[in-house]
Amino acid sequence: QKEVEQDPGPLSVPEGAIVSLNCTYSNSAFQYFMWYRQYSRKGPELLMYTYSSGNKEDGRFTAQVDKSSKYISLFIRDSQPSDSATYLCAMSRSSNDYKLSFGAGTTVTVRA
Amino acid sequence: DAGVIQSPRHEVTEMGQEVTLRCKPISGHDYLFWYRQTMMRGLELLIYFNNNVPIDDSGMPEDRFSAKMPNASFSTLKIQPSEPRDSAVYFCASSSGWGAGYTFGSGTRLTVV
């Protein structure tokens, strides 16, 4: 079993819809949780990160962490065609842990 | 800043040949990472450096892979001899510190035939 599980999708939604993405993990030592966005034929770019449980909002993006369930989510409100990309979750054990564990990524298409 | 620069963008080589991938990190970033991405295994960390020193190479698949960082502005990942199962997209990333996130290059798409 992989440390981080992420449904690869693909996920297709109409413009303006809410996109819901999630990852589950097995290692309770993970404390920091990140979401990266990867456009086709580009490298991943950091969207946001959260520490421990709770919510964090950044514009149209909201990240949620539920450590008790070992479950994290990313919500994209008012989705746009420019949000079409692959979204990868990543986790680490501490702020000194540079060996991020990545999910497989979920491919999202927002239809105009 | 031009970001993390990788070369070449694409590489097609025959099995058994030596392959060298190159990376120029963002100036001032102390950390450099080499990742490999495949459909089957996703994004895997191969090795990372801090201040030009290799810190963790436990992800390097086997002795055919080697990485160097002779100075703060240049790193190479070498595969010798290459095999078809090495076909993947290889990313270089750099960072000024954990909280700043990683900046990835656009990758080198390697095909070994």
Side-chain angles (χ1 to χ4, degrees):
Chain A
Q1 183 186 6
K2 295 180 180 178
E3 271 193 319
V4 181
E5 298 280 357
Q6 184 176 9
D7 187 338
L11 194 60
S12 179
V13 301
E15 183 175 357
I18 294 175
V19 177
S20 175
L21 306 167
N22 58 75
C23 290
T24 59
Y25 61 95
S26 57
N27 190 339
S28 58
F30 287 135
Q31 298 285 339
Y32 293 84
F33 306 90
M34 289 137 275
W35 286 95
Y36 279 78
R37 176 176 62 195
Q38 185 175 19
Y39 290 115
S40 179
R41 300 192 177 274
K42 296 291 187 181
E45 57 178 331
L46 180 67
L47 276 177
M48 54 198 305
Y49 77 90
T50 56
Y51 168 68
S52 197
S53 287
N55 295 357
K56 184 174 183 179
E57 189 173 315
D58 184 0
R60 296 184 296 110
F61 298 88
T62 299
Q64 289 185 350
V65 175
D66 182 349
K67 289 192 66 183
S68 63
S69 301
K70 296 190 181 69
Y71 187 91
I72 69 170
S73 301
L74 178 71
F75 299 96
I76 308 173
R77 290 184 302 280
D78 188 25
S79 57
Q80 305 295 311
S82 58
D83 295 325
S84 298
T86 297
Y87 291 81
L88 301 98
C89 62
M91 309 178 184
S92 71
R93 294 158 184 77
S94 72
S95 60
N96 292 322
D97 177 14
Y98 285 84
K99 294 179 67 175
L100 303 184
S101 295
F102 280 87
T106 300
T107 299
V108 174
T109 300
V110 181
R111 308 185 306 272
Chain B
D1 199 320
V4 176
I5 300 172
Q6 291 187 246
S7 64
R9 287 299 309 273
H10 302 274
E11 177 81 35
V12 180
T13 190
E14 291 186 347
M15 181 174 62
Q17 297 298 305
E18 177 180 296
V19 176
T20 299
L21 311 181
R22 298 172 177 79
C23 175
K24 176 179 169 57
I26 291 174
S27 176
H29 282 191
D30 297 328
Y31 291 85
L32 183 138
F33 307 84
W34 282 101
Y35 280 87
R36 177 171 68 178
Q37 187 174 41
T38 61
M39 290 293 292
M40 288 295 293
R41 302 175 68 91
L43 201 58
E44 302 174 281
L45 177 65
L46 300 177
I47 184 171
Y48 80 93
F49 296 82
N50 179 215
N51 291 323
N52 313 338
V53 176
I55 302 300
D56 192 318
D57 65 355
S58 59
M60 296 286 262
E62 42 197 277
D63 292 345
R64 296 185 298 106
F65 286 69
S66 63
K68 293 182 179 180
M69 191 165 186
N71 58 63
S73 59
F74 184 66
S75 177
T76 60
L77 178 68
K78 186 175 294 186
I79 308 173
Q80 166 63 20
S82 57
E83 297 182 2
R85 60 191 168 124
D86 302 330
S87 298
V89 181
Y90 290 81
F91 287 103
C92 175
S94 69
S95 176
S96 59
W98 190 95
Y102 299 177
T103 302
F104 284 78
S106 293
T108 294
R109 185 173 296 273
L110 174 65
T111 303
V112 183
V113 297

